[in-house]
Amino acid sequence: NTIEFSGALHATIVKQVLLKNPSNYTLAYNVILVGRDAHDFSLPKGNTVTIPAGRQGFVNVEFTIRFLHPAEAVLLLISNKVDGIDGATMVFSLKAEVKSIEPLGIIRCRSPCYEL
């Protein structure tokens, strides 16, 4: 599965990954970001998620577009044993690209073009 982040340069985009737990046991996951541009992505709610039995949980992934080149990383969810049960390891591809460029501000100044 691929999660796409697209927006204006310098915009911060947050995506949520929905995790469902249909089992009768609590599941826990360690969340890891790896890859070429992993340092540009972040997990604002921390790198662990616990999903009670029969419920659902979310993993928030945040990305601030700082460069014009496309960014790529991988989101890994690795199960921790809780109640003696392991969940499946999950992998998501993260891709980001700039869709537009908006100026942060305008500076007006006067200066001579040439002076002896």
Side-chain angles (χ1 to χ4, degrees):
N1 291 334
T2 300
I3 302 169
E4 295 184 7
F5 297 79
S6 61
L9 186 63
H10 302 295
T12 298
I13 301 158
V14 178
K15 297 282 183 153
Q16 283 188 329
V17 179
L18 172 65
L19 305 171
K20 294 182 181 179
N21 180 5
S23 74
N24 296 324
Y25 302 98
T26 299
L27 294 176
Y29 286 95
N30 283 333
V31 185
I32 302 169
L33 294 165
V34 295
R36 181 186 75 194
D37 301 307
H39 58 279
D40 291 328
F41 293 87
S42 65
L43 303 165
K45 292 194 174 184
N47 62 349
T48 59
V49 63
T50 303
I51 311 163
R55 315 239 24 227
Q56 60 188 22
F58 294 95
V59 174
N60 289 339
V61 182
E62 188 174 279
F63 178 73
T64 300
I65 302 173
R66 300 183 308 136
F67 301 106
L68 292 175
H69 69 80
E72 294 181 358
V74 174
L75 176 70
L76 287 171
L77 287 96
I78 301 170
S79 177
N80 279 339
K81 272 195 177 180
V82 177
D83 297 336
I85 300 296
D86 268 336
T89 298
M90 293 180 274
V91 180
F92 298 90
S93 175
L94 307 176
K95 295 186 184 235
E97 66 179 337
V98 175
K99 288 291 187 183
S100 64
I101 300 174
E102 301 290 330
L104 290 177
I106 297 174
I107 299 173
R108 297 189 187 274
C109 63
R110 288 185 174 216
S111 174
C113 290
Y114 177 75
E115 256 183 61
L116 285 175

